[in-house]
Amino acid sequence: MKKDGYNVAVVGATGAVGNMMIKVLERRSFPVKQICMLASGRSVGRKLQFKGKDYPVLELNESSFEGIDIGLFSAGGSISARFAPIAANEGCIVIDNTAHFRMDTDVPLVVPEVNPEQIGKYTVKNIIANPNCSTIQMLVVLKPLHDAAEIKRIVVSTYQSVSGTGKDALEEMLNQSREMANSIQWNKEEGLDKLWSGLMPFRQIETKVYPHRIAFECLPQIDIFMPNDYTKEEMKMVWETGKILDPNIRVTATTVRVPTFSGHSESVNIETKEKLSAQEAKDILRKAPGVKVLDDPSKSEYPLTALAAGEDYTLVGRIREDESIDKGLNLWVVSDNILKGAALNAVQIAEILVERYI
Ligand code: 25A
Ligand code: L14
């Protein structure tokens, strides 16, 4: 580790993830010598705070990375495609939060609790990729179970919050919810028909962000559709689990957007080679790094998005044996998608990088 710290650039500093990256660097006392806030020209003139000081937002350009040691990127895949190689050529180590480089065999894809040893391979391209948020939280929980009992197959369904799509989507959900709640005047003394007919005008409304209304609805589509009719988000979970944890594990996913504000939830079913009782799984998970077990059915205690908000840990509960097969478990996993799902994971990678490598 350098005595006087590192020059760090945050690309996409004004976005939901970039903003959280700045807060996490500050909270965890990352050894920052100088910080540089980069975004598009739209945000030039704005200021962002770091450790009580104001920093101007600068427009990202080809000379942004002179003298920068570490670049934390979260401004979308096309920005990373263009600027990460430029930064890397300048000697800046890029930690990229977009999907662009994740499956590149020359780029390590890292969850610090799962495969930190991969970080050392950053030297090939000077780029390290941060996995997809839904993959990160699932693997933090499954890694210790895989070590104990060898996972053969994963069936996962996600319930992903609107914050994953950004501020415009949050605004769309709130506006739609307000409009519906105000327009549908109904109480329980009245017939249900009045409620159903009140909903009718909202069956097909104009939307800006999502293909359908998100308020009071579940959308079984996240990201684009692929030729096999899975969505790209579903395939990211399949591909990335193979690269990070074990290519021998079979994975199938259904990813769903639900009208929650922040925090992704997941129903995870695993089939293992060795038998693992629910009690054994709980004992293993109580000792696992980055994991907090919340599992007391008698008190209706289990992970919730409200409990995961602002929390570094991935929460797991509803741990029970899958009684339809010999060796299987069901779990409910919730984590803050902007924090462990993006910003925190990236900063943890940077921490290992400076502790062990640069
Ligand atoms: O394609 P990917 O890889 O899947 O990533 C797509 C997007 O997902 C977010 C992230 O958006 C990314 O852009 N994201 C990525 N990983 C995520 C994860 N794990 C994730 N979200 C959740 N979980 P974001 O909103 O967090 O951040 C976007 C940032 O990128 C900056 N940016 C955009 N284009 C840029 C650029 N920076 C440099 N050069 C470019 N060409 C963007 O800065 C933001 O910091 P900005 O200045 O463009 O936006 C500041 C504010 O302006 C508003 N705004 C957005 N779009 C418009 C706009 N205003 C006017 N017109 C617009 N078209 C917003 O309010 C924004 O906050
Ligand atoms: O691949 O919840 O990092 O919309 C970031 C946003 C995945 C989806 C990524 C979301 C995307 C996520």
Side-chain angles (χ1 to χ4, degrees):
M1 178 147 16
K2 280 200 223 166
K3 276 200 309 290
D4 58 344
Y6 299 83
N7 294 333
V8 178
V10 180
V11 179
T14 49
V17 175
N19 231 286
M20 186 62 86
M21 284 168 165
I22 296 161
K23 286 192 202 149
V24 174
L25 288 169
E26 182 173 321
R27 167 162 66 83
R28 293 172 71 97
S29 303
F30 187 83
V32 175
K33 186 161 73 180
Q34 278 187 51
I35 193 156
C36 178
M37 314 292 191
L38 300 168
S40 76
R42 281 193 295 267
S43 292
V44 172
R46 283 183 60 190
K47 288 187 167 54
L48 293 170
Q49 282 222 329
F50 179 70
K51 293 193 174 170
K53 260 187 75 180
D54 276 344
Y55 291 84
V57 176
L58 307 177
E59 182 169 8
L60 173 66
N61 65 48
E62 292 177 5
S63 48
S64 294
F65 299 97
E66 282 167 29
I68 300 289
D69 300 304
I70 299 171
L72 302 174
F73 278 58
S74 187
S78 59
I79 298 298
S80 291
R82 176 151 168 239
F83 288 97
I86 293 172
N89 264 331
E90 289 273 347
C92 167
I93 302 169
V94 171
I95 302 174
D96 182 36
N97 192 47
T98 75
H100 190 76
F101 293 100
R102 287 184 191 149
M103 297 313 295
D104 184 329
T105 48
D106 292 333
V107 172
L109 181 64
V110 179
V111 182
E113 292 85 349
V114 180
N115 62 341
E117 73 288 345
Q118 291 295 316
I119 291 174
K121 295 187 185 156
Y122 77 89
T123 47
V124 185
K125 281 200 170 163
N126 255 4
I127 300 173
I128 302 168
N130 205 52
N132 169 268
C133 35
S134 302
T135 312
I136 293 175
Q137 66 180 70
M138 179 171 83
L139 296 189
V140 167
V141 169
L142 294 188
K143 161 74 174 164
L145 302 180
H146 186 50
D147 287 346
E150 200 181 324
I151 296 170
K152 309 299 294 173
R153 179 168 184 250
I154 302 170
V155 181
V156 56
S157 299
T158 70
Y159 305 65
Q160 298 184 216
S161 67
V162 170
S163 71
T165 323
K167 288 181 197 163
D168 291 351
L170 287 163
E171 191 180 68
E172 181 160 291
M173 174 173 73
L174 267 175
N175 286 344
Q176 291 171 352
S177 306
R178 239 185 249 118
E179 201 191 325
M180 289 178 74
N182 289 335
S183 126
I184 304 168
Q185 295 292 332
W186 178 83
N187 65 61
K188 66 180 182 201
E189 315 301 332
E190 299 175 281
L192 275 171
D193 281 348
K194 186 177 169 204
L195 175 57
W196 305 145
S197 60
L199 280 167
M200 286 302 262
F202 296 97
R203 288 216 310 185
Q204 281 176 325
I205 60 168
E206 217 180 292
T207 62
K208 283 206 201 84
V209 181
Y210 293 119
H212 305 280
R213 187 187 84 215
I214 182 63
F216 308 103
E217 189 55 275
C218 300
L219 306 181
Q221 178 187 353
I222 296 178
D223 213 330
I224 55 172
F225 277 96
M226 308 289 290
N228 64 358
D229 285 353
Y230 281 79
T231 63
K232 195 165 176 203
E233 181 75 351
E234 289 160 351
M235 295 316 295
K236 283 183 250 179
M237 294 191 80
V238 175
W239 299 327
E240 295 179 23
T241 298
K243 180 164 173 178
I244 300 164
L245 187 57
D246 186 339
N248 296 316
I249 302 176
R250 317 276 306 210
V251 184
T252 188
T254 304
T255 58
V256 182
R257 185 78 61 192
V258 297
T260 53
F261 287 96
S262 181
H264 290 352
S265 309
E266 300 177 341
S267 161
V268 183
N269 175 270
I270 58 170
E271 187 167 2
T272 54
K273 184 161 172 239
E274 314 297 337
K275 171 81 188 170
L276 206 56
S277 71
Q279 192 54 52
E280 286 167 326
K282 285 179 199 173
D283 292 341
I284 291 166
L285 290 170
R286 282 203 181 92
K287 294 186 208 118
V291 175
K292 207 177 258 181
V293 177
L294 286 183
D295 197 345
D296 188 346
S298 73
K299 297 189 181 122
S300 293
E301 182 195 71
Y302 33 71
L304 297 170
T305 59
L307 299 172
E311 172 77 71
D312 284 357
Y313 293 92
T314 297
L315 309 179
V316 60
R318 301 296 325 278
I319 301 162
R320 60 216 191 275
E321 282 152 47
D322 176 350
E323 295 178 343
S324 72
I325 51 176
D326 287 340
K327 296 162 191 162
L329 291 169
N330 282 307
L331 315 122
W332 182 252
V333 178
V334 183
S335 193
D336 186 323
N337 53 303
I338 304 293
L339 204 46
K340 181 57 183 168
L344 173 63
N345 199 75
V347 173
Q348 285 177 308
I349 292 171
E351 287 171 351
I352 297 175
L353 197 60
V354 303
E355 272 159 28
R356 301 190 197 162
Y357 299 101
I358 59 174

